[in-house]
Amino acid sequence: MASNNFKFLFRLISLLIATASAQLSSNFYATTCPNALTTIKSAVASAVKKEPRMGASLLRLHFHDCFVNGCDASILLDDTANFTGEKNAAPNANSIRGFAVIDIIKSQLENLCPGVVSCADILAVAARDSTVALGGPSWTVLLGRRDSTTASQSAVISNIPSPLRNLTTQLYIFTNRGFTANETIALLGSHTIGQARCTIFRTRIYNETNIDSTYATSLRKNCPATGGDNKLAPLDTTSPTSFDNAYFKNLLNEKGLLHIDQQLVNEGIIYSQITEYSNNEEAFRTDFANAMVKMGNLSPLTGSNGQIRSNCRTLNEQISPSTRDVMKCQLLYSFS
């Protein structure tokens, strides 16, 4: 009975994703803001060139948005005296970044076509363009999402998978979003770029045994047993700023930085997929791109639902005249 309920839930989620994607379109801004995509691409390329780590940050920002009540830019909303956003929820606090890049892109688009391009769509396109900027695959981003007027810290805690959890829990969270085990492994391949803080991988390098001893020793030099929580290490020790299949090769050599990463090789079926990706980079790139399209279609707001925020950090009705002046200054600065 439990198995039948599980299959029904998975099919229902898949149906909802398919319905949502039918309401989106790859040419949504073709007439209303024809330069939207090139504007986003240029800004992302500039940001990643200045700081390669930003590519992973923008990709992760889209993921943390979509897994909490859908791809609706709720993650971008700031806390106010009367509103609690998602930025300070435990999985996000002192972790997610890239907000300033999104601010610049939004300012540029508001100058080109005010009130047209949503923050949710900016996140989706920026995730794709940042992946490409680091040598990764491209994919067609369906557009037409609108921005939420709500946020939920509790939903962040419930729906963002922790790198400290076991594999079964991780797979369960992704399955609840309609992803197969294969799609989940492909998405985890995004750990081929980016960095993690010492506090996230300290237990692994000091207490776990399924880690290459030389690799663990090198990590301990920058991540002490106590203190240094914000010291960084690359998720992919081989090519941390290139989107490739080195992450999977590292796992086969017990050089996964995070607990969840190295757990992947302990499952037979998953192990075979990791082996395939380590030998066939094109298969990984294709599967990753397809999984990203699916993630970008999670429960978007469309039609008259939500709004198109003028400032991604603030609901439209909350924007004061002084805030609009600040936005104008940010726009002038972004073009200077």
Side-chain angles (χ1 to χ4, degrees), residues 49 75 91 109 126 133 149 177 204 215 228 231-232 244 282 293 299 320:
K49 182 178 181 180
I75 197 170
L109 291 174
T149 57
R177 292 291 173 273
R204 168 154 170 72
Y215 177 54
K231 295 283 188 176
L232 298 172
D244 53 28
E282 192 56 39
V293 171
S299 306
S320 65

Side-chain angles (χ1 to χ4, degrees), residues 25-27 37 121 124-125 128 139-143 145 293 297:
S25 168
S26 61
N27 60 357
L37 296 185
D121 276 347
V125 177
R128 188 267 312 276
W139 58 89
T140 300
V141 178
L142 300 181
L143 304 165
R145 300 168 191 78
V293 171
N297 295 336

Side-chain angles (χ1 to χ4, degrees), residues 19-266:
T19 301
S21 63
Q23 298 173 358
L24 303 176
S25 168
S26 61
N27 60 357
F28 189 82
Y29 299 114
T31 57
T32 55
C33 195
N35 293 322
L37 296 185
T38 56
T39 299
I40 298 173
K41 181 179 181 179
S42 177
V44 168
S46 177
V48 174
K49 182 178 181 180
K50 182 178 180 181
E51 183 196 6
R53 182 190 175 198
M54 186 56 66
S57 298
L58 293 173
L59 177 59
R60 187 162 177 255
L61 199 55
H62 179 48
F63 163 61
H64 278 231
D65 180 42
C66 291
F67 262 54
V68 180
N69 297 326
C71 306
D72 59 6
S74 58
I75 197 170
L76 300 178
L77 291 169
D78 285 342
D79 289 354
T80 69
N82 303 310
F83 184 89
T84 301
E86 298 170 0
K87 292 180 179 179
N88 291 313
N92 293 337
N94 301 314
S95 179
I96 53 172
R97 57 199 298 274
F99 300 110
V101 176
I102 301 300
D103 290 340
I104 290 174
I105 294 172
K106 182 59 176 175
S107 294
Q108 293 176 347
L109 291 174
E110 285 298 299
N111 182 62
L112 289 174
C113 34
V116 174
V117 182
S118 70
C119 301
D121 276 347
I122 292 174
L123 283 175
V125 177
R128 188 267 312 276
D129 291 347
S130 63
T131 300
V132 172
L134 293 176
S138 184
W139 58 89
T140 300
V141 178
L142 300 181
L143 304 165
R145 300 168 191 78
R146 290 170 65 84
D147 302 324
S148 71
T149 57
T150 62
S152 173
Q153 281 203 4
S154 61
V156 174
I157 296 171
S158 300
N159 294 290
I160 295 299
S162 166
L164 304 177
R165 289 175 175 172
N166 61 40
L167 180 59
T168 300
T169 302
Q170 296 282 56
L171 291 175
Y172 177 78
I173 291 174
F174 277 85
T175 298
N176 277 347
R177 292 291 173 273
F179 292 95
T180 65
N182 285 354
E183 290 168 334
T184 301
I185 304 311
L187 289 174
L188 286 174
S190 64
H191 290 179
T192 188
I193 54 176
Q195 301 182 57
R197 295 184 298 146
C198 171
T199 187
I200 300 298
F201 59 85
R202 177 183 286 117
T203 298
R204 168 154 170 72
I205 65 175
Y206 284 98
N207 298 337
E208 297 185 10
T209 58
N210 59 342
I211 184 170
D212 178 84
S213 59
T214 302
Y215 177 54
T217 299
S218 67
L219 290 168
R220 290 170 190 159
K221 293 178 181 178
N222 193 48
C223 179
T226 58
D229 285 358
N230 292 322
K231 295 283 188 176
L232 298 172
L235 291 165
D236 173 359
T237 187
T238 305
S239 50
T241 59
S242 296
F243 195 101
D244 53 28
N245 65 340
Y247 164 78
F248 298 103
K249 296 178 180 179
N250 292 336
L251 296 185
L252 295 177
N253 292 312
E254 295 192 327
K255 292 182 179 181
L257 180 66
L258 305 182
H259 172 75
I260 181 58
D261 290 335
Q262 200 59 51
Q263 275 203 326
L264 297 178
V265 302
N266 296 333

